[in-house]
Amino acid sequence: MIKALDNINLTIKEGEIFGLLGANGAGKTTLVKILSTLLLPTDGKAYVHGYDVVEEADNVRRVINLVSGGETPGYGILTVRENLWFFSQIYGIPNAKDEIDRLLRDMELEEYADIRMHKLSTGYKQRLNLARGFINDPQILFLDEPTLGLDVLNAKHIRNYVRDWVKNSNKSVLLTTHYMAEADEICDRVAIIFKGKIIACDTPKRLKESIADKTSAVIEIKNNGIKIDRIDGMEGLALENHDGITRVKVLLDEQSSISRLVSYLTNNGYNISSIKMNEPTLEDVYIKYVGMSLDDKQS
Ligand SMILES: Nc1ncnc2c1ncn2[C@@H]1O[C@H](COP(=O)(O)OP(=O)(O)O)[C@@H](O)[C@H]1O
Ligand SMILES: [Mg+2]
């Protein structure tokens, strides 16, 4: 039997955006479906807002909502406003009109309110989808690749809105994504999922620090057309000369060494034109951990 998820053990806190970061097929949607009661787990226990997702599924459904990327939000022949009204009535929300007006405003959908949903662009369809996800004021919002296929501005709008909502309401978001930069930007903590297993879980900052020995820097020096092939007193540098610039690449062992390097170069008469620190990204973290787990399998 193939296990889509294997020995997952996670706790998501209030006021937190928790990111589940993984490639296609890693098991992200499977986990979201189990937690949102759309799929029964074959084994194991999961609780949402204190409710057992199998034994108390009705209670779970009352406190959650789910928005997935790349899905059609509701009914194409209904207008934007009618779609939100329809879903508000499924939840039996009293005085939904005010709430719908607020969501239309927040999602910058007011001018499209009376347009049939099928006429919206992909980005605005997803704004409607997100508005639908907030209609029952969920305690926990599941966002399964919510910015899939969106352009930069639409994706940014959605990320900003979600981040403000979590911070102002002390609610929780479980966000899945394969966009590393997205997880880095808005997630308080991130778990990397690979072949159904969690292989790392921490804040983006600490995950990056855990591979920080790989920090490198590139220093550009103006060389007035005279190539520099070595710098006396400095070992382990890679030097490249282009168009009057010498590019010095160096691996940094500790954060402080960049300042030592810069003062050394300055004191020895080199004219520094730029310094670029290549700090590790979540992508580097992902590659490091996923690579490690592949090695584990082979041994
Ligand atoms: N309905 C299904 N039946 C059988 N296997 C499935 C089904 N849905 C997903 N899978 C498999 O489970 C694994 C995890 O899939 P999924 O949770 O959709 O990954 P992700 O959302 O991270 O891309 C994959 O190997 C996928 O092929
Ligand atoms: Mg998925």
Side-chain angles (χ1 to χ4, degrees):
M1 189 178 83
I2 297 168
K3 283 187 177 173
L5 296 175
D6 190 5
N7 201 13
I8 301 268
N9 192 351
L10 291 175
T11 308
I12 297 162
K13 301 171 194 165
E14 283 178 5
E16 172 174 75
I17 303 181
F18 188 95
L20 199 58
L21 193 56
N24 296 330
K28 303 182 296 296
T29 298
T30 304
L31 183 59
V32 166
K33 282 189 173 166
I34 288 172
L35 296 175
S36 58
T37 76
L38 296 176
L39 200 63
L40 285 171
T42 46
D43 199 4
K45 281 279 177 197
Y47 299 89
V48 171
H49 207 59
Y51 299 120
D52 185 306
V53 294
V54 177
E55 309 288 336
E56 300 165 291
D58 284 349
N59 289 329
V60 170
R61 287 179 195 139
R62 265 187 269 280
V63 296
I64 64 167
N65 212 322
L66 164 63
V67 177
S68 303
E71 71 174 8
T72 309
Y75 297 92
I77 60 157
L78 298 183
T79 67
V80 168
R81 191 192 296 279
E82 286 165 350
N83 266 289
L84 291 176
W85 176 257
F86 175 81
F87 287 107
S88 75
Q89 296 314 293
I90 289 180
Y91 283 104
I93 291 162
N95 308 320
K97 190 184 170 303
D98 292 348
E99 181 62 9
I100 290 170
D101 284 342
R102 191 184 62 76
L103 285 168
L104 289 172
R105 213 168 36 244
D106 287 355
M107 291 296 150
E108 292 167 16
L109 279 168
E110 278 168 313
E111 59 177 301
Y112 303 97
D114 300 315
I115 290 181
R116 292 182 186 210
M117 187 271 279
H118 73 90
K119 291 198 171 149
L120 296 179
S121 67
T122 310
Y124 280 84
K125 275 188 184 139
Q126 190 60 348
R127 289 182 190 214
L128 169 58
N129 201 7
L130 204 69
R132 200 243 331 121
F134 286 109
I135 199 82
N136 64 327
D137 193 26
Q139 292 296 319
I140 295 137
L141 182 61
F142 296 103
L143 297 173
D144 193 9
E145 310 223 29
T147 62
L148 193 70
L150 297 190
D151 63 49
V152 176
L153 290 182
N154 276 300
K156 188 125 199 113
H157 181 89
I158 286 178
R159 284 199 291 272
N160 288 346
Y161 189 83
V162 168
R163 185 167 46 199
D164 290 348
W165 179 75
V166 169
K167 297 307 160 205
N168 296 332
S169 65
N170 211 31
K171 305 229 171 148
S172 311
V173 164
L174 175 63
L175 172 119
T176 83
T177 185
H178 69 271
Y179 298 128
M180 312 282 164
E182 175 165 283
D184 201 357
E185 184 185 327
I186 66 166
C187 294
D188 299 294
R189 286 190 304 145
V190 166
I192 294 176
I193 182 169
F194 179 69
K195 292 192 177 170
K197 286 194 169 82
I198 302 290
I199 55 175
C201 178
D202 212 328
T203 63
K205 185 168 181 283
R206 278 204 291 269
L207 284 173
K208 287 184 280 185
E209 280 167 5
S210 74
I211 62 159
D213 57 314
K214 291 220 168 147
T215 302
S216 65
V218 176
I219 301 172
E220 290 190 336
I221 298 169
K222 284 188 188 156
N223 65 19
N224 298 322
I226 302 158
K227 283 186 180 176
I228 304 171
D229 293 318
R230 61 187 308 269
I231 293 172
D232 287 330
M234 304 248 36
E235 303 298 325
L237 303 180
L239 299 170
E240 284 171 22
N241 292 285
H242 301 283
D243 307 326
I245 294 283
T246 301
R247 198 165 286 143
V248 183
K249 288 187 188 165
V250 60
L251 264 178
L252 301 169
D253 298 330
E254 45 189 285
Q255 296 297 333
S256 66
S257 61
I258 185 71
S259 56
R260 282 210 305 274
L261 191 59
V262 168
S263 23
Y264 181 87
L265 290 169
T266 317
N267 292 341
N268 284 278
Y270 292 101
N271 186 357
I272 294 173
S273 63
S274 80
I275 300 169
K276 190 171 159 226
M277 300 286 290
N278 293 324
E279 300 203 343
T281 62
L282 267 191
E283 191 167 318
D284 301 326
V285 174
Y286 182 87
I287 289 166
K288 166 132 182 190
Y289 281 98
V290 166
M292 259 168 42
S293 89
L294 279 173
D295 292 346
D296 290 346
K297 286 225 170 60
Q298 280 159 8
S299 62

